[in-house]
Amino acid sequence: GSTSTLFFRMRRNGEVNAGSGASNYAEPNTWGHFEGYLVSTTDINARDDGAALPLTPFEEDTWYNAWMVLDNSAETYEVYVQGGAFPAQTKLSDTGSAHSVFNFRTDPVDAPTNNILSFFVRTSSQTGTLYLDDIYVTAGESLSNPIPEPTTLMLGLVLGLVGIVRGNRRQRGTM
């Protein structure tokens, strides 16, 4: 297996209990079908083998950008976020230690063939809502944000409009 990066945005309102991340199954349907994944509650947690390790509080009504760098050969992953208490992209570690490389929750039957095949979301009992958006998978390690920031997008639109206006002025002057 190779390294890949899973990017997605997430936000919650109310109490949630959900897993979101990568699976080596084309049609996953049980918790054991996850490889690397985040557990969303009032914290953002990384699943490390059999335990959910708290990484940071998951603020309500706040969008987070999440990057999961998945090393399929080593069956490990790292987590980066931007949002909430992190205005810039930050590599997260377990709040109880400096542990920042997490082990897949690998199904032993499929351990040798853990190529990532799908993005998987599974929920448990919850009264709130978990929102997920802008899901991207990139080959290799890619910590760039695939979503343009609103100011960058606006700048592109303004520059595009300036180019159109200038083009129209030139055409009018030559007629």
Side-chain angles (χ1 to χ4, degrees), residues 75-145:
E75 297 184 4
T76 60
Y77 67 104
E78 298 169 302
V79 177
Y80 299 80
V81 299
Q82 178 184 15
F86 305 100
Q89 182 186 72
T90 304
K91 183 177 181 180
L92 298 182
S93 59
D94 173 18
T95 57
S97 70
H99 185 71
S100 65
V101 177
F102 308 102
N103 295 303
F104 284 0
R105 178 184 182 158
T106 303
D107 183 334
V109 174
D110 292 324
T113 60
N114 55 337
N115 291 323
I116 302 304
L117 299 177
S118 61
F119 180 77
F120 182 35
V121 178
R122 185 167 173 102
T123 61
S124 191
S125 61
Q126 61 186 41
T127 57
T129 303
L130 176 67
Y131 299 91
L132 299 169
D133 200 1
D134 301 317
I135 301 162
Y136 291 83
V137 177
T138 306
E141 181 174 331
S142 174
L143 298 176
S144 63
N145 187 339

Side-chain angles (χ1 to χ4, degrees), residues 4-121:
S4 57
T5 302
L6 172 61
F7 171 89
F8 58 97
R9 295 185 328 121
M10 61 184 178
R11 179 174 75 90
R12 75 171 179 97
N13 68 13
E15 298 296 320
V16 297
N17 186 1
S20 50
S23 176
N24 62 333
Y25 285 81
E27 297 179 18
N29 61 20
T30 184
W31 291 102
H33 290 176
F34 274 111
E35 294 288 90
Y37 71 104
L38 299 180
V39 179
S40 302
T41 60
T42 54
D43 290 321
I44 296 173
N45 303 275
R47 182 67 183 219
D48 187 39
D49 281 331
L53 304 177
L55 303 179
T56 187
F58 190 5
E59 294 177 22
E60 205 167 344
D61 296 318
T62 301
W63 280 104
Y64 288 77
N65 293 328
W67 292 261
M68 297 174 63
V69 179
L70 304 144
D71 182 338
N72 295 324
S73 297
E75 297 184 4
T76 60
Y77 67 104
E78 298 169 302
V79 177
Y80 299 80
V81 299
Q82 178 184 15
F86 305 100
Q89 182 186 72
T90 304
K91 183 177 181 180
L92 298 182
S93 59
D94 173 18
T95 57
S97 70
H99 185 71
S100 65
V101 177
F102 308 102
N103 295 303
F104 284 0
R105 178 184 182 158
T106 303
D107 183 334
V109 174
D110 292 324
T113 60
N114 55 337
N115 291 323
I116 302 304
L117 299 177
S118 61
F119 180 77
F120 182 35
V121 178

